[in-house]
Amino acid sequence: MIDFTFTEEQEMFRQAAREFAETVVAPRVPEMEETAQVNDVVLKGLGEAEMMALTIPEEYGGLGLGYTTRLIALEEIGRISVATAMMLQVFALGIEPIILFGTEEQKKKYLPGLATGERLATVAVTEPGGGSDPACSRTGYYRDGDDYVLNGRKCFITNSHIADTITVLAKDAESDDPRAFSAFIVEGGMAGFRPTHEEHKVGMRGCNTGELAFEDCRIPKENLLGQEGK
């Protein structure tokens, strides 16, 4: 028999997440819907309330509370603002590859700032021609000395214009294997990388969605996540 009862710690967190959603997020929903922009107070508050630290291990500045607690946060925040919950969910998708496959150096470099909200993450998979199937990716990379060079375009990326730590999936441009793609950590401000078009949405306007362009974007080999082609 499975017990779905929250632990005492999870119940305390649920109450804290609900209070945060009602006091910090709710008053700013009308403005976010009108401007279609992520509210700075909400973004800063998520970091201060440790909503971004939930699944990050304690040794890297996180809380290490696991996925159930993260889902509790998403449910409570989504009750008030689906857009803010979406931003937080895609943030989690962006950091998960670093948690699971990052080197010790990568974890120490990125996770502490992500845990505090100093950095904001996203994941870039979806493309105009292939949807969210990485095997259909046209964004390609090749090795050039100590760098990887990325070229291509991603679309419908949540946090596109505000994230500074982007997990990007790209295909090996020199391979015929559709499954030969790799993941890279791209940082905002890297030469050859830029956000382009921003979507004007009917709903979920309080989270940013747009396109990312890679034009001879040079990624140091240290930013490869896991094994190349795997």
Side-chain angles (χ1 to χ4, degrees):
M1 182 175 178
I2 300 175
D3 183 5
F4 291 101
T5 305
F6 291 153
T7 65
E8 182 178 351
E9 182 180 44
Q10 289 169 340
E11 180 59 31
M12 289 176 60
F13 179 80
R14 185 192 68 77
Q15 295 175 10
R18 174 164 292 201
E19 180 180 356
F20 172 83
E22 292 178 344
T23 60
V24 178
V25 181
R28 294 166 176 87
V29 168
E31 179 186 346
M32 290 192 290
E33 288 297 317
E34 181 177 348
T35 63
Q37 298 298 319
V38 176
N39 184 275
D40 289 340
V41 175
V42 171
L43 190 57
K44 182 179 179 182
L46 287 168
E48 293 176 345
E50 299 185 291
M51 297 291 178
M52 296 174 170
L54 297 177
T55 59
I56 294 176
E58 293 183 66
E59 58 264 38
Y60 304 109
L63 298 178
L65 294 179
Y67 300 111
T68 299
T69 304
R70 179 168 72 83
L71 290 173
I72 291 171
L74 290 173
E75 183 176 67
E76 291 296 338
I77 293 172
R79 188 175 67 89
I80 300 296
S81 170
V82 176
T84 303
M86 172 65 80
M87 178 183 69
L88 191 59
Q89 162 66 359
V90 176
F91 169 87
L93 295 178
I95 67 174
E96 190 71 5
I98 301 175
I99 295 172
L100 293 178
F101 303 108
T103 64
E104 189 65 19
E105 291 73 17
Q106 289 170 339
K107 292 176 182 179
K108 288 179 178 178
K109 179 178 180 180
Y110 293 105
L111 292 181
L114 290 163
T116 61
E118 180 184 347
R119 304 184 72 97
L120 183 66
T122 190
V123 60
V125 178
T126 305
E127 297 191 5
S132 297
D133 180 3
C136 297
S137 175
R138 294 186 179 181
T139 297
Y141 71 88
Y142 62 89
R143 186 74 179 264
D144 184 26
D146 288 335
D147 296 334
Y148 291 95
V149 181
L150 270 64
N151 283 286
R153 184 162 62 101
K154 301 290 185 177
C155 67
F156 304 137
I157 305 302
T158 302
N159 299 340
S160 58
H161 286 56
I162 58 176
D164 51 26
T165 305
I166 304 99
T167 299
V168 180
L169 268 65
K171 186 180 180 298
D172 183 345
E174 299 175 348
S175 174
D176 294 328
D177 184 354
R179 295 171 297 179
F181 53 87
S182 300
F184 302 91
I185 303 173
V186 176
E187 298 180 31
M190 281 184 167
F193 164 69
R194 60 189 176 93
T196 53
H197 171 71
E198 189 170 0
E199 299 295 339
H200 182 72
K201 297 177 293 185
V202 174
M204 291 201 293
R205 289 168 56 79
C207 68
N208 161 248
T209 306
E211 295 186 358
L212 304 175
F214 304 90
E215 300 168 350
D216 292 330
C217 177
R218 302 190 75 86
I219 311 298
K221 63 181 182 180
E222 293 80 11
N223 284 38
L224 172 70
L225 271 169
Q227 291 181 301
E228 183 179 350
K230 301 295 183 180

